[in-house]
Amino acid sequence: MSAKIIDGTAMAKRLRAAYTARAEALAAQGHRPGLTVVIAGDNPASRVYVRNKIKACTEAGFDSRDTEFPEDVSTATLLAEVERLNNDSKVHGILVQLPLPPQVDAEAVTAAIAPHKDVDGFHAINLGGLFGLAGDFVPCTPAGAMEMLRQEGIPIEGRHAVVIGRSNIVGKPMALLLLQAGATVTICHSKTVDLPAMTRQADILVAAVGKADFVTADMVKPGACVIDVGINRPESGPKAGKLTGDVDFAAVSQVAGWITPVPGGVGPMTIAMLLANTIKATEIALQKAAKT
Ligand code: GUN
């Protein structure tokens, strides 16, 4: 079998065109969507991600900026910056790129972002949305993966979804979104005993591990849908220096029914969801302004 490749680049392009039109309409009403990304330190991967996020937002007609801080920045300095952005009515969305340098209390900085500007969906109030409680924003990467399943018409309800990875950014929210969509969900992680026995039960397998080619063909049920959230750059081996997912694409695509590639899969959809959340934040600001 040869899996159908789910083209995240093409899907994201269509979504971005729609968000560009909505941004134009908002700008015409005097509310150009505004996103500010806060970045601290010199993490090369973070710099690339932030550059891509800002570029996509600028291309969609947003007022998109970044504020940069050195590696030795303090928690107090970042809290002050978040406070400044919370109070700036032109800034609708705030994103603090993670990871932050080790001396910074990242939890405190994330918690300080006003929930209605938290386009990453990392604030506790927004995480409540994953439990069906209050919350406006869903974290972008799992939201992007769910949108891929939806657009591709992959059945979720009643199916067994297995998520490998339990991070707050991807694994846990992804599992909760799949649960909300009616899947039976298993979360696996580094302590899981006999991981391949678990993953072979998956109708939908989500890999969010952070290890290149971690998911091999023998771990996948024939016909399953495999969503690869990994972004790795191996330092050695045949793929040294190349952007590589968590899934051994060449082998797994012979077994799976659907597969997302890296690059060109979940990554572009993550950025599309950031645009969607920033538009939503702008609309929330508009509604608030109308009420006062
Ligand atoms: N670092 C890796 N992924 C993300 C993300 O989606 N948002 C933020 N803020 N930082 C990240």
Side-chain angles (χ1 to χ4, degrees), residues 247-268:
V247 175
D248 179 353
F249 183 87
V252 170
S253 59
Q254 298 306 309
V255 178
W258 297 264
I259 191 166
T260 66
V262 176
V266 176

Side-chain angles (χ1 to χ4, degrees), residues 126-173:
N126 287 317
L127 290 175
L130 299 168
F131 287 72
L133 306 171
D136 290 312
F137 303 107
V138 172
C140 299
T141 300
M146 290 301 291
E147 181 66 16
M148 294 178 101
L149 294 174
R150 197 188 64 75
Q151 286 204 24
E152 200 57 39
I154 311 276
I156 303 177
E157 199 172 74
R159 304 303 159 111
H160 190 178
V162 175
V163 179
I164 321 174
R166 54 177 160 175
S167 73
N168 288 349
I169 296 182
V170 183
K172 285 180 202 152

Side-chain angles (χ1 to χ4, degrees), residues 158-262:
R159 304 303 159 111
H160 190 178
V162 175
V163 179
I164 321 174
R166 54 177 160 175
S167 73
N168 288 349
I169 296 182
V170 183
K172 285 180 202 152
M174 187 74 214
L176 288 167
L177 290 172
L178 286 161
L179 186 64
Q180 266 182 10
T184 298
V185 182
T186 302
I187 307 180
C188 297
H189 46 79
S190 54
K191 304 282 187 294
T192 298
V193 174
D194 199 356
L195 180 67
M198 295 288 184
T199 58
R200 274 197 294 269
Q201 294 175 32
D203 301 304
I204 298 167
L205 179 60
V206 180
V209 189
K211 288 188 184 153
D213 293 342
F214 181 83
V215 174
T216 47
D218 60 306
M219 295 168 73
V220 176
K221 178 182 182 173
C225 174
V226 179
I227 304 285
D228 189 349
V229 182
I231 303 181
N232 311 289
R233 249 181 231 280
E235 284 178 7
S236 57
K239 296 186 185 169
K242 289 208 172 84
L243 211 58
T244 308
D246 288 348
V247 175
D248 179 353
F249 183 87
V252 170
S253 59
Q254 298 306 309
V255 178
W258 297 264
I259 191 166
T260 66
V262 176

Side-chain angles (χ1 to χ4, degrees), residues 46 49 53 95-99 120 122 140-141 169 270:
S46 288
Y49 298 152
K53 288 172 186 177
L95 185 155
V96 177
Q97 186 66 24
L98 302 175
D120 253 332
F122 293 168
C140 299
T141 300
I169 296 182
T270 297

Side-chain angles (χ1 to χ4, degrees), residues 33-90:
L35 173 79
T36 297
V37 179
V38 177
I39 178 166
D42 305 314
N43 183 316
S46 288
R47 292 208 162 257
V48 174
Y49 298 152
V50 168
R51 199 183 320 130
N52 289 341
K53 288 172 186 177
I54 301 229
K55 183 167 171 271
C57 287
T58 304
E59 282 171 9
F62 296 10
D63 181 4
S64 176
R65 300 157 191 256
D66 66 346
T67 58
E68 297 191 18
F69 293 87
E71 183 72 28
D72 63 354
V73 67
S74 68
T75 301
T77 300
L78 289 181
L79 286 174
E81 174 65 0
V82 168
E83 188 60 18
R84 182 183 76 76
L85 297 170
N86 281 343
N87 292 322
D88 183 340
S89 62
K90 287 205 165 10

